[in-house]
Amino acid sequence: MVKAIILAAGKGTRMKSEIPKVLHTIFDKPLLGYVLDSVIKSGIIDYSYIITGHKAQMVDEYVKDNYINACTILQSPQLGTGHAVSMAIDKLNGYSGEVIILCGDTPLIKSETIKNIVSFHNENKADITVVSAVFDNPANYGRIVRNPDGSLCKIVEEKDASPNQKEIKEINAGIYCLNWGKVNSAFSELKNNNAQGEYYLTDIIQWGVKNGLKTIAFTIKDNNEIFGINSRKNLAEASKILHDEVINKHLNNGVTIISPETTWISPDTEIGSDTIIYPNCYINGKNKIGQNCKIGPFAHIRGGVEIDKGVKIGNFVELKKTKVKSHTNICHLSYVGDAEVGENVNIGAGTITANYNPLTKEKSKTVIEDNVKIGSNSVLVAPVTIREGANVGAVGVITKDVSPWSLAVTRSPLKILEGWVKKQLKK
Ligand code: UD1
Ligand code: CA
């Protein structure tokens, strides 16, 4: 199995933020999470070392809370990308297999691409593989300098490049596959005599060539995959790239999305065929939506939601951590969270599951069994269960379990005072 080193120590000055760059989010998932998820999904990497620096503790906590088979290594001070990778030398002591190096601020890298890079490296029996890309506007990237015969010579950073070298359109994507046993001695030889006074990882190319190691480039096909985040604008651009990909995937899978521009669906959401998503829906986090459902317009699905087939979720309905069985309708103005809803249920307009107790800060569960009908404007105060077939009258405030096939009514009887208005007017 391969090991990964993920560079994430940089400050990200242009984000103008109190939180480290790699913890900025797309669909509420940190950039680093995207990279780690692709690493895991590739299926060829058994451990990741994340190099941290700026606000390292926050990154530590995120990794510890969300990932196994990964650890952070502090780089302090941050003396460049070569110095960053060298932080993993002790941890990888005795390891001589392949290491893939990725950046924590490049969230769109795909698991198949990670697999392809390592396969390419192995098939070519390479010692060092650098990932390159061809950009019409290569500004700010390191340029790949090749020999007349096309073999790799070195990488020059923009700040160190000659005017001729600046014309080169093949750039360094910042991803590498290294035969660790053969290259780990390079790091003590890196020099910082360059424009930025840093130990550049890119110098490993020239080092490899000089030491007779097989040093090659893998040219990436889809430049979007190496889109790096340096600013809030980049973050919005990356969200849009991901958005378009996700929308296209669902359209290809037989989902109707009436207004792709106004529909946001997280990459971790599955949707069955013949489901229709109406305009202005925001579907975030991890969810499963079945076949033949109707979602929206203006629905907000916040994650942890599983919806079976034939369900209708209408306008201004918010769902969180909720399972909904088939052919149930939650059509208007409702909040349903931490709930299990059976099949053929009708939830009337304006129903709320009151799942949160602000005094104890506890969240409790609401269970609504099959064939239940909840009248409009009801509040189901959790923990509470509405048993099979029961009805709740409109404006019910339900604080106890309701038995099967019964009616629960909590409103005071209606009084009509005949002629009351006229009497008032005569006064
Ligand atoms: C780097 C490459 C450049 C390439 C570009 C691709 C070098 C010298 N240059 O440039 O050839 O085209 O990436 O995006 O490698 N980091 C650390 N510790 C450090 C310095 C950086 O962990 O001491 C991390 C950063 O957080 C970032 C990554 O390494 O995730 C790249 O560093 P950055 O400063 O952004 O390098 P670039 O100038 O973009
Ligand atoms: Ca960068």
Side-chain angles (χ1 to χ4, degrees):
M1 292 290 264
V2 177
K3 314 280 179 202
I5 297 176
I6 301 172
L7 305 184
K11 190 152 187 249
T13 315
R14 277 177 285 162
M15 298 301 285
K16 302 200 174 132
S17 176
E18 292 297 313
I19 59 170
K21 179 161 78 175
V22 294
L23 294 189
H24 282 267
T25 57
I26 300 176
F27 286 110
D28 288 347
K29 179 156 102 181
L31 304 179
L32 179 60
Y34 282 89
V35 180
L36 281 166
D37 286 352
S38 282
V39 159
I40 293 164
K41 208 173 149 208
S42 77
I44 56 165
I45 295 164
D46 65 352
Y47 205 87
S48 298
Y49 301 92
I50 298 137
I51 311 299
T52 59
H54 183 65
K55 303 252 165 121
Q57 209 189 327
M58 288 173 79
V59 183
D60 274 3
E61 275 167 27
Y62 172 68
V63 172
K64 279 202 193 101
D65 290 349
N66 294 281
Y67 293 93
I68 49 167
N69 301 328
C71 72
T72 52
I73 306 175
L74 181 67
Q75 181 202 16
S76 176
Q78 290 112 47
L79 304 177
T81 48
H83 178 249
V85 173
S86 76
M87 297 294 112
I89 287 177
D90 286 350
K91 298 260 185 190
L92 288 168
N93 188 20
Y95 176 74
S96 60
E98 261 56 54
V99 169
I100 186 154
I101 296 170
L102 299 156
C103 286
D105 61 357
T106 312
L108 303 182
I109 186 77
K110 293 211 164 71
S111 56
E112 305 91 77
T113 306
I114 292 177
K115 226 158 56 180
N116 291 342
I117 293 164
V118 175
S119 305
F120 177 86
H121 176 91
N122 288 333
E123 279 159 18
N124 285 284
K125 299 192 168 60
D127 300 309
I128 299 174
T129 299
V130 58
V131 176
S132 75
V134 178
F135 276 13
D136 286 338
N137 175 11
N140 298 323
Y141 285 96
R143 309 295 205 282
I144 305 277
V145 182
R146 289 180 183 264
N147 297 311
D149 67 358
S151 61
L152 289 187
C153 170
K154 62 180 173 183
I155 295 173
V156 239
E157 288 307 289
E158 165 111 353
K159 287 184 178 138
D160 302 294
S162 67
N164 275 344
Q165 288 169 334
K166 282 187 184 158
E167 296 295 311
I168 298 173
K169 294 204 176 341
E170 187 182 11
I171 61 97
N172 168 25
I175 301 170
Y176 314 77
C177 183
L178 306 176
N179 181 317
W180 193 253
K182 293 212 180 133
V183 305
N184 62 7
S185 61
F187 295 98
S188 58
E189 295 179 34
L190 295 180
K191 302 273 185 312
N192 65 350
N193 52 350
N194 50 53
Q196 303 187 79
E198 290 182 358
Y199 297 94
Y200 288 168
L201 178 58
T202 47
D203 286 348
I204 203 159
I205 304 303
Q206 203 174 6
W207 181 89
V209 172
K210 201 178 79 192
N211 288 279
L213 300 187
K214 184 151 190 199
T215 305
I216 60 174
F218 171 97
T219 306
I220 207 157
K221 287 194 202 94
D222 178 5
N223 289 349
N224 279 342
E225 284 193 55
I226 56 159
F227 188 84
I229 311 297
N230 293 309
S231 62
R232 305 275 180 165
K233 181 163 186 281
N234 291 157
L235 193 62
E237 288 162 342
S239 304
K240 181 74 172 87
I241 293 171
L242 199 60
H243 164 273
D244 290 352
E245 255 174 37
V246 169
I247 295 284
N248 285 331
K249 177 184 82 182
H250 292 301
L251 294 174
N252 285 332
N253 287 346
V255 177
T256 294
I257 297 171
I258 292 179
S259 165
E261 317 78 60
T262 66
T263 301
W264 287 80
I265 305 173
S266 70
D268 297 331
T269 293
E270 294 171 29
I271 306 179
S273 59
D274 288 324
T275 283
I276 304 178
I277 314 280
Y278 290 88
N280 290 298
C281 290
Y282 190 71
I283 303 177
N284 202 3
K286 238 186 186 162
N287 309 288
K288 268 190 195 166
I289 298 173
Q291 294 178 318
N292 272 306
C293 293
K294 291 192 166 138
I295 311 289
F298 296 97
H300 184 189
I301 294 181
R302 288 172 44 203
V305 169
E306 287 180 30
I307 296 174
D308 288 352
K309 60 176 188 285
V311 166
K312 279 191 209 158
I313 304 295
N315 42 215
F316 306 106
V317 170
E318 176 180 336
L319 297 181
K320 188 212 78 177
K321 250 182 149 176
T322 284
K323 285 188 182 157
V324 183
K325 293 228 181 101
S326 61
H327 305 292
T328 280
N329 296 339
I330 312 174
C331 289
H332 335 266
L333 302 153
S334 291
Y335 168 65
V336 181
D338 300 298
E340 274 178 30
V341 184
E343 55 184 44
N344 290 311
V345 168
N346 191 69
I347 295 195
T351 296
I352 306 285
T353 55
N355 59 335
Y356 181 62
N357 181 337
L359 298 176
T360 60
K361 296 196 162 58
E362 275 168 352
K363 287 193 179 134
S364 305
K365 219 168 143 179
T366 301
V367 178
I368 301 169
E369 294 184 351
D370 296 348
N371 300 305
V372 162
K373 314 291 168 209
I374 309 284
S376 296
N377 243 352
S378 293
V379 180
L380 311 176
V381 183
V384 71
T385 297
I386 318 292
R387 297 254 174 244
E388 190 184 355
N391 284 16
V392 170
V395 205
V397 178
I398 307 301
T399 51
K400 301 194 283 217
D401 291 359
V402 177
S403 48
W405 305 103
S406 55
L407 170 68
V409 199
T410 63
R411 58 180 185 255
S412 48
L414 172 67
K415 276 193 258 177
I416 297 179
L417 307 182
E418 299 291 344
W420 184 87
V421 177
K422 279 208 165 136
K423 269 185 226 159
Q424 299 299 315
L425 292 172
K426 275 185 200 152
K427 268 186 197 167

